Structures are given as structure tokens and as C-alpha cells.
Amino acid sequence: MVNKQNEMRRKGDFASNGENLKENKERIATRQREKEERESLVIWKKPVITVNYFVRELFLTSISFTQRTLSYRKSLFAGVIICSCIAVLLNLKGPHEVIVDLAKKKLLWSFYWIGLGVLSSIGLGTGLHTFILYLGPHIASVTRAGYTCGALNFPEPPYPDAILCPDNLDPSWLVSIWNIMRKVHLEAIMWGAGTALGELPPYFMARAARLSGHDPDDEDELKEFEDLQKKKENPEGLELLDKAKLMVEELVNRIGFLGILVCASIPNPLFDLAGITCGHFLIPFWTFFGATLIGKAVIKMMLQAMFVIITFSDVLIEQVMFFLQKVPYFGLQLQKLLQKLLEMQKNKLHGDKSKVETSSNPLSSVFETFVFIMVCYFVISIINSLAQSYHKRLCKTKNKQD
């Protein structure tokens, strides 16, 4: 009798395991199909559905953001009071207007560069490299203006659109690497701070996943980190890129603040993995963000700004001109083009509008076209990303109902 019961129990367990295996296979197949559908939601393949999902996700995200904002009533009330006081100060006449206008100008200029830094770092699926498109050219323009004018005591921002050489040269603003760094330090630091803020989403995502348990529907975001953990079991078969990723993870996990600071202080395309690692191992927020802010806004930006300044200095420009003389076929044409561009810049900085207007700048047109294409691609990537997020939302709702 006992043997018969044990045999029936074994048959029941076997049938149950078979059913579970079948359900797991069906679940994996369903998720794979949903993933393929989600990846096909791009504006050049399914424009109508993609735009429809984008609008719906944008609407739901706006509602969610509004509800979260309203839940912090004390902070919201304090913010309203502060904004009201600022509005009164801006419209109130008096001797304080000069200070208020200066503060307003500096704040707007700072927020502009912080926003560009966030766009460069967070990307919402792709990064708009605003250092190459905006900050780098800005530092280069100030550098060339300094060398052309002989000093850097031209007006404060907004520039480079309105840079004009000063009539009187200030001895304390003569051209040097240090003075150029002083001239662009606000823009560089604010842009670096923006890139540090853009590194927070991977950190919070991994931290939430660790605290709440792994959600199979969010496996796309953490897939790179999970694959890397699996590859640790077979270190002999690791590729060079995987070894670099593991080195970043070990550096961040073992050294902590200093490790994060080192990773943030150098141009590092793998820093997203550092943020995920910090979130996964529950490294304190201020340890991660403090090291990231110092590394990106101070150390890394100083190195990048110095590189641009040295690259566009008179010494290096002269060496480039000398090198172009020795280049066969196209060397002389390129040298003449560079000389023409430098002459146009000199005329513009000295306020000679007649010579500037009659001259054309083909490189400027190419650069403006490139910037326009990059911005369009960035906007399209945001639309695709939000549309895919709405598809994931629909799949989650469907799976819960099933």
C-alpha cells in the first residue's frame, strides 16, 4: 500500500515537473516574442504605432510625474513660495536690479550647460555627445578669440556668438592656458555636473532591482551586468572588452570612493557599468554621486578643456600649417582654406562686418548640418524609446491578467 502511494506521488511529481517545464518554455517563448515586437517598434518601420505608443507613454509619464510631485506637499509648497519671491524680485524696481539680472544671467547660463551635460550622459537610449557638438567648439572659439585679440577681457556670456575684441587689453587677462581655463570654467563645470546627474538612472535602476528582487520583465536593462557575472565562471574565455568591464567592476567594488573617482575622471565608455555595479552592491548614494561629481565636473573636465585649448593654440596651429605644406596634392589647398578661415575669424572678432558678410564658411555649414542631423537622431531615439516602454507596459499588464 505504501509502495503504491509512493509510486503515485512520484508520478504526480513527474507530471507536475513536466507541466512546469512546459510553462517555463512557453513563458520564455512569449518573452522572446514580446522582445522582438518591442525592438521592431521604431519610427522607420512602424511610424503610426510608434508615434501612437510614444504619445500614450508620454501622457502616462506626465501623469505619474505630476502625482509624485503632488505627494511631496511640503517641498512643493516651499518651491511655490521660493518661486513667488523670485518673481517679485524680478519685477520689483530698485537698486537690487543689477544683482538680480546678473544672478539670472548666470543661472540661466549654468542651467543651459547642465542640461547639455545631462543630454550627453543619459541619452534615453542614445547619447547626444554635446561636448563634441557644443562645449568643445565653445572652448575652441574662446581660445582662438583670446589668441586673435591678444587678451581675454572680452564680454561675459552669451558668447561665442557675440565675441568682440576689447579696445583696451587687461594685463591680468593676457592669453595663457590658466586664463582660458578661468574664462570657460563655469561652462565646463556645469556641463560636467550635468553628465554626473545623467549617470544616476543606471545606479537607481540597479539599486531598486537589488532591493526589490529581480524582475524578469526588466532583464533588458540589467542584461549586460548579468552576462558579465556569468562570464566570471570561465575567465579563460573572456574577451578584451569583458576583461575591461570586470576591471571596472572590481575597481569600483573593492576601492569604493577612490575607485569610482578614478573611473569618472577619465574618458570611460564603460562608466554606465560602474553605476550599475554601485547600485547592485548598494554603495551609498553620496559615495557614488560625490565621487562621480568630482571626477566628471572637476578632474575630467579640466583634462578635456586643456586638451581643446592646447589643440587650438597658436603654437599648434602653426605646426599644422607647416605640416600641410609638406602634404602632396591637397596640402596647399588645405593650407589656404585654413588661412582663409583664420582671417575670417580675425575680421569677425575685430568687428569688420563687411569682410565677414562677403565671405562664406563651408566648414560652418557642414558643422551646422551635422549638428542638425545629430539632434534629429536624438529626438527620434527618444520617440522610439518611449514607444518601446509603453509596449513593455502593455506586456506587463497582459501577463498579470493571465
Side-chain angles (χ1 to χ4, degrees):
M1 186 69 179
V2 175
N3 291 335
K4 184 179 288 187
Q5 289 178 349
N6 291 336
E7 185 177 353
M8 291 178 66
R9 191 180 296 111
R10 283 196 298 270
K11 288 182 179 180
D13 293 340
F14 181 77
S16 178
N17 290 335
E19 290 177 0
N20 292 334
L21 183 61
K22 184 178 179 180
E23 289 178 0
N24 288 334
K25 287 183 177 180
E26 290 178 354
R27 191 180 297 111
I28 292 173
T30 301
R31 286 179 186 157
Q32 183 63 29
R33 185 174 64 255
E34 291 173 352
K35 183 179 178 181
E36 291 175 357
E37 290 177 359
R38 186 158 54 248
E39 290 176 349
S40 67
L41 275 175
V42 289
I43 202 165
W44 52 85
K45 289 183 179 180
K46 300 178 180 178
V48 177
I49 298 178
T50 302
V51 172
N52 181 24
Y53 282 9
F54 160 72
V55 173
R56 291 170 181 265
E57 180 66 17
L58 186 63
F59 178 72
L60 292 174
T61 303
S62 302
I63 292 176
S64 176
F65 176 77
T66 303
Q67 290 174 344
R68 289 182 181 181
T69 304
L70 292 175
S71 64
Y72 297 95
R73 295 181 181 179
K74 293 182 179 180
S75 300
L76 185 62
F77 180 74
V80 171
I81 296 296
I82 293 172
C83 291
S84 301
C85 294
I86 293 174
V88 171
L89 284 174
L90 289 175
N91 293 287
L92 193 65
K93 301 295 182 180
H96 66 282
E97 285 184 285
V98 177
I99 299 175
V100 170
D101 289 341
L102 180 62
K104 177 183 175 182
K105 186 179 178 182
K106 290 289 184 182
L107 284 173
L108 291 177
W109 188 245
S110 299
F111 285 139
Y112 171 75
W113 288 107
I114 289 174
L116 287 177
V118 172
L119 289 177
S120 183
S121 186
I122 191 170
L124 292 176
T126 180
L128 179 67
H129 210 310
T130 50
F131 182 85
I132 294 175
L133 296 179
Y134 295 98
L135 184 59
H138 170 74
I139 296 173
S141 297
V142 174
T143 303
R144 291 308 310 154
Y147 279 104
T148 303
C149 299
L152 292 153
N153 57 315
F154 39 76
E156 292 293 317
Y159 60 72
D161 294 334
I163 290 182
L164 288 176
C165 290
D167 296 329
N168 299 316
L169 303 184
D170 187 347
S172 64
W173 280 105
L174 294 179
V175 181
S176 66
I177 293 178
W178 170 247
N179 278 340
I180 298 174
M181 290 285 291
R182 284 174 58 198
K183 198 71 176 178
V184 300
H185 77 280
L186 178 64
E187 298 90 320
I189 291 174
M190 292 299 104
W191 186 87
T195 61
L197 289 172
E199 298 294 348
L200 294 180
Y203 169 84
F204 286 123
M205 176 192 67
R207 184 181 179 87
R210 177 68 184 271
L211 292 174
S212 61
H214 177 65
D215 185 357
D217 293 325
D218 291 333
E219 62 182 2
D220 294 341
E221 285 81 358
L222 299 173
K223 189 174 185 302
E224 181 181 8
F225 181 79
E226 292 176 353
D227 291 343
L228 196 61
Q229 304 309 307
K230 294 177 182 177
K231 289 178 181 178
K232 282 184 179 180
E233 301 173 0
N234 184 23
E236 293 80 10
L238 291 175
E239 299 178 354
L240 183 61
L241 181 60
D242 294 329
K243 290 180 180 179
K245 292 178 180 179
L246 285 174
M247 184 178 69
V248 170
E249 181 189 341
E250 291 292 325
L251 190 65
V252 169
N253 192 28
R254 291 193 175 186
I255 306 179
F257 183 91
L258 291 178
I260 302 168
L261 182 65
V262 170
C263 292
S265 300
I266 57 176
N268 185 4
L270 305 177
F271 194 78
D272 279 348
L273 183 64
I276 293 175
T277 302
C278 290
H280 178 78
F281 290 106
L282 302 180
I283 291 177
F285 169 77
W286 285 112
T287 300
F288 169 72
F289 184 66
T292 304
L293 184 64
I294 296 171
K296 285 184 172 291
V298 181
I299 302 174
K300 182 183 175 184
M301 277 316 306
M302 182 180 69
L303 296 175
Q304 288 181 296
M306 287 186 65
F307 174 78
V308 175
I309 292 168
I310 293 172
T311 301
F312 287 88
S313 64
D314 270 356
V315 176
L316 205 57
I317 292 292
E318 290 175 2
Q319 291 180 353
V320 170
M321 297 287 285
F322 179 76
F323 173 76
L324 289 176
Q325 288 180 345
K326 299 185 177 182
V327 176
Y329 302 111
F330 303 106
L332 291 176
Q333 286 81 358
L334 292 174
Q335 187 185 43
K336 290 179 181 178
L337 177 61
L338 183 58
Q339 286 177 338
K340 183 179 178 182
L341 293 175
L342 293 174
E343 185 66 26
M344 288 172 56
Q345 184 205 40
K346 182 178 179 181
N347 295 331
K348 181 179 179 181
L349 292 171
H350 286 286
D352 194 346
K353 296 182 180 180
S354 60
K355 293 183 180 180
V356 175
E357 290 173 357
T358 56
S359 303
S360 60
N361 191 343
L363 287 183
S364 177
S365 301
V366 171
F367 179 75
E368 289 174 1
T369 304
F370 174 71
V371 171
F372 177 75
I373 293 172
M374 288 294 295
V375 171
C376 289
Y377 176 72
F378 179 68
V379 172
I380 291 172
S381 71
I382 293 176
I383 294 174
N384 293 339
S385 179
L386 290 179
Q388 291 172 6
S389 297
Y390 184 76
H391 180 272
K392 182 181 288 188
R393 188 191 297 269
L394 291 178
C395 293
K396 284 184 177 181
T397 304
K398 181 181 177 183
N399 291 335
K400 287 179 180 179
Q401 291 175 352
D402 294 341

